[in-house]
Amino acid sequence: MRKWFDSEAKKNSQRPWRLEADVWLNLTGELLFGDRGQRGKAHLFWPNFRKDWPDPRAYLRDDHRAGHLRTIGMSKIAPTLDAFAKYLAANNAPSVRELISIGINEKTARRAMALSEKSHDRPNDSALIRVASRVFERVAGQKSNIENQIATALLVGKDEDAVLYAAAIELGETICTASAPACMLCPIELNCSHLRKG
């Protein structure tokens, strides 16, 4: 899965900010392009945002940031992004609770922290649970929270740099989809109980 992620998924990711092991880049991308309606803009604008705002201090130094956000129709998130940048510039390692306190919703905050290599608290994303359920032949809808945690832990193992976590989510969102999984394209098809079972 890691090999597929490095060679294929990173080139074609619909959410390139999730490939960054940095909470600033993860959360900025999630705030800007995380909504389904905004994802189409990600490939156009993300490379420039990443280059121009690689860290919160660069973002705060940019006197034209409000205009840039307005250009892509994202001016309403400017206050949240400003608050996050100011907070992160002053405090290197935010907690989920602190991100929520500055106006970031809990799910977005948890995902951004989980994709950061500094975090070891990785919540079970629905795409990750789907991949783990299929690999370990568990029937959808008959899962307890403990079973989800065990299956995802078995799937990603000890994942210090969050690469397997990000890879499993990307796999679940692009290949191992809920309605039309592309099993023949899956990098772990040989290990998938769901595919073997038919």
Side-chain angles (χ1 to χ4, degrees):
M1 190 162 49
R2 186 183 283 263
K3 186 177 177 183
W4 165 80
F5 188 63
D6 288 337
S7 64
E8 298 296 322
K10 285 185 177 182
K11 291 182 219 167
N12 303 313
S13 178
Q14 295 176 16
R15 297 180 181 116
W17 60 89
R18 290 190 182 171
L19 308 177
E20 308 286 348
D22 179 274
V23 70
W24 162 252
L25 293 172
N26 273 295
L27 194 52
T28 301
E30 203 64 39
L31 289 171
L32 292 172
F33 307 112
D35 290 337
R36 215 173 277 274
Q38 297 294 330
R39 270 186 226 143
K41 297 178 181 181
H43 282 292
L44 296 172
F45 296 108
W46 179 249
N48 289 332
F49 282 111
R50 191 187 183 295
K51 182 180 65 126
D52 294 342
W53 301 336
D55 58 60
R57 288 175 183 84
Y59 170 82
L60 293 169
R61 283 192 303 266
D62 185 350
D63 295 332
H64 303 287
R65 65 184 182 265
H68 295 312
L69 292 171
R70 195 172 23 263
T71 300
I72 63 165
M74 299 301 292
S75 55
K76 65 182 175 186
I77 69 136
T80 302
L81 202 53
D82 284 357
F84 175 54
K86 288 174 186 170
Y87 179 82
L88 200 57
N91 307 291
N92 235 356
S95 70
V96 170
R97 180 178 291 161
E98 290 162 332
L99 294 176
I100 293 168
S101 75
I102 60 171
I104 296 165
N105 79 45
E106 184 175 356
K107 184 177 179 181
T108 302
R110 287 193 183 285
R111 181 185 296 253
M113 291 300 295
L115 290 167
S116 165
E117 63 184 27
K118 295 180 181 95
S119 174
H120 295 287
D121 176 27
R122 301 210 169 98
N124 285 336
D125 180 274
S126 60
L128 175 65
I129 292 169
R130 182 172 48 256
V131 172
S133 294
R134 287 178 176 165
V135 168
F136 297 109
E137 195 177 6
R138 293 173 53 246
V139 179
Q142 296 181 353
K143 310 176 279 229
S144 72
N145 197 29
I146 292 172
E147 288 174 322
N148 287 337
Q149 291 172 357
I150 292 168
T152 55
L154 288 170
L155 182 67
V156 298
K158 189 172 179 178
D159 186 27
E160 295 297 323
D161 57 2
V163 171
L164 289 175
Y165 181 79
I169 291 172
E170 187 72 20
L171 181 66
E173 290 177 346
T174 59
I175 292 176
C176 192
T177 61
S179 59
C183 298
M184 296 307 146
L185 299 175
C186 183
I188 58 173
E189 69 174 314
L190 298 176
N191 301 322
C192 183
S193 297
H194 179 76
L195 183 60
R196 282 194 306 269
K197 190 176 179 181

